[in-house]
Amino acid sequence: MSPPARKRVLSGMQPSGLLHLGNLLGALDNWKALQEKYECFFFVADWHAISTNYADTSRIKEFTRELLIDWLAAGIDPQRAAVFIQSRNPDHAILHLLLSMIVPVPWLERNPTYKEKQEEIKDRDLSTYGFLGYPVLQAADILLYKPDYVPVGKDQLPHLELTRELARRFNSLYRPVFPEPREHLTQFPKVLGTDGRKMSKSYGNTINLSDAEPVVRQKLKTMVTDPARVKRTDPGNPDVCPVYDFHKIFSPAAVIERVNRECRTAEIGCIDCKKLVADAMVERLTPIWDERNKLTAKPDRVEEIVREGGKRAAAVSHGTLEEVKAAMNI
Ligand code: TRP
Ligand code: SF4
């Protein structure tokens, strides 16, 4: 008897900027854990990035390459996970087109992220067909691989729900082809940016995986602390200080405990405290930086990885697309 097949996981990220610590500690660490247990497919959603950046596509290719380097440097293992680029597999476009034939427009119009993003991104005209259909492309990305789990953050749940609704609609209109994928919610530790707000590219408060050591140290030096601690002699409260959150993530227990104590009594100053957190962060990031440098110097290696991952992905997506066409009589 053959052993039961490993469950399958699929996820993607948009190449719309450089990866930061929030992404590393959230999505990437989760992906790394999943690749140990499941058959994984991880792809760069470069077509999705066009939906909001169509007026300036100049950096999507660069961000795609950087994203792949970040994944690999952070420990995504191409032996375990098929790593590929969406735009190199036309099956995603074909299934998107076929699903667009059956998706009712009101389902898309009432998608909460559609309205929210339009509100949020005021400087771009997002009244396009492609942007409205963003979740249909995402549904195609997912359904092509019939994954058991899709690791995503909470913000993506409406898209996953729509994916399941589309799967049900397809299955009932034609014949059962698509199993309904389940989300695998990513637990994000609280990661605040240098200004004390949520770490986010759009706030310009990130520490990026591609930042060099001096840049990371400099960003930490100017990071906000407990706002009530004005003078060196003022006692502080680590519980409201975003630097302390970093300690909790990166520092050894003894340092965390020391900061927690000596901040409250003003024994340690913020400059020294930040130096300690910088050291811990640098220690964690150094292997990633080393790997990044190696991969940056070897573009052929990255190319080979996505070519090979792309083949493994296409083998699955072709099979699904054949079933889809047969079910739809095309
Ligand atoms: N919409 C996702 C995001 O912005 C990216 C994405 C595209 C995705 N296709 C996907 C995620 C398929 C999971 C599965 O984060
Ligand atoms: Fe924050 Fe550290 Fe300063 Fe306390 S000593 S306020 S934890 S930076």
Side-chain angles (χ1 to χ4, degrees):
M1 249 180 35
S2 57
R6 269 188 310 162
K7 296 217 170 177
R8 188 177 286 164
V9 163
L10 170 122
S11 197
M13 275 187 215
Q14 288 190 53
S16 49
L18 297 167
L19 277 198
H20 56 69
L21 276 184
N23 306 125
L24 172 71
L25 301 163
L28 271 184
D29 278 356
N30 194 38
W31 287 13
K32 268 166 58 184
L34 291 168
Q35 73 181 358
E36 301 298 324
K37 258 172 82 181
Y38 301 112
E39 179 190 16
C40 289
F41 293 84
F42 298 131
F43 73 98
V44 181
D46 53 344
W47 279 334
H48 277 107
I50 303 177
S51 73
T52 42
N53 296 294
Y54 63 85
D56 178 9
T57 54
S58 58
R59 298 193 73 189
I60 294 178
K61 215 180 236 167
E62 169 201 338
F63 287 148
T64 297
R65 197 180 52 239
E66 294 297 325
L67 188 58
L68 289 164
I69 290 176
D70 280 331
W71 289 0
L72 298 166
I76 296 304
D77 176 0
Q79 303 287 316
R80 295 171 193 270
V83 172
F84 64 102
I85 301 175
Q86 181 189 41
S87 66
R88 294 201 193 174
N89 184 349
D91 293 351
H92 292 240
I94 297 171
L95 186 57
H96 168 255
L97 174 103
L98 296 174
L99 293 176
S100 79
M101 302 299 172
I102 68 167
V103 65
V105 172
W107 287 13
L108 302 175
E109 286 170 334
R110 67 166 184 253
N111 181 298
T113 40
Y114 176 62
K115 294 234 166 58
E116 277 162 29
K117 279 267 181 261
Q118 279 193 326
E119 286 296 308
E120 191 185 305
I121 309 179
K122 280 272 184 248
D123 58 330
R124 285 169 257 172
D125 177 4
L126 295 182
S127 62
T128 59
Y129 180 54
F131 187 67
L132 179 67
Y134 181 112
V136 184
L137 180 56
Q138 183 160 347
D141 296 337
I142 296 170
L143 296 175
L144 277 174
Y145 300 92
K146 301 185 181 178
D148 297 281
Y149 302 114
V150 182
V152 285
K154 265 218 258 4
D155 61 311
Q156 295 292 310
L157 290 182
H159 292 162
L160 221 63
E161 193 52 47
L162 196 110
T163 300
R164 285 189 286 263
E165 281 164 351
L166 264 174
R168 283 199 285 276
R169 188 166 168 93
F170 185 99
N171 292 345
S172 74
L173 280 168
Y174 310 106
R175 70 168 101 107
V177 169
F178 298 123
E180 289 181 31
R182 276 192 286 161
E183 64 267 8
H184 184 285
L185 265 191
T186 306
Q187 297 304 326
F188 283 86
K190 183 166 143 216
V191 186
L192 298 179
T194 48
D195 60 358
R197 291 186 290 174
K198 177 181 150 77
M199 188 177 285
S200 161
K201 188 182 52 180
S202 45
Y203 293 151
N205 64 0
T206 62
I207 294 174
N208 299 330
L209 298 192
S210 52
D211 285 341
E213 179 176 336
V215 177
V216 170
R217 291 191 182 273
Q218 185 54 37
K219 284 183 175 177
L220 287 170
K221 272 189 194 145
T222 56
M223 183 158 181
V224 301
T225 61
D226 171 2
R229 190 170 188 196
V230 183
K231 296 201 300 292
R232 168 68 182 82
T233 49
D234 293 338
N237 178 4
D239 298 330
V240 300
C241 177
V243 175
Y244 187 60
D245 287 326
F246 277 152
H247 273 296
K248 285 190 280 191
I249 295 168
F250 295 104
S251 294
V255 173
I256 301 173
E257 200 239 319
R258 177 182 157 204
V259 167
N260 189 26
R261 202 166 8 94
E262 297 188 358
C263 171
R264 294 176 202 276
T265 54
E267 271 168 275
I268 191 169
C270 293
I271 295 172
D272 291 330
C273 176
K274 287 172 161 186
K275 168 89 173 50
L276 289 174
V277 93
D279 291 342
M281 198 181 275
V282 164
E283 196 175 313
R284 163 90 194 259
L285 291 179
T286 296
I288 298 182
W289 288 331
D290 290 347
E291 204 47 42
R292 269 196 124 269
N293 290 338
K294 276 191 224 153
L295 288 163
T296 305
K298 283 192 295 191
D300 294 352
R301 174 71 191 126
V302 178
E303 179 55 36
E304 191 189 323
I305 288 169
V306 290
R307 212 180 307 127
E308 196 269 329
K311 272 192 207 147
R312 270 150 70 193
V316 176
S317 66
H318 285 344
T320 307
L321 203 52
E322 286 312 310
E323 288 179 66
V324 166
K325 289 189 200 162
M328 293 178 89
N329 306 305
I330 6 176

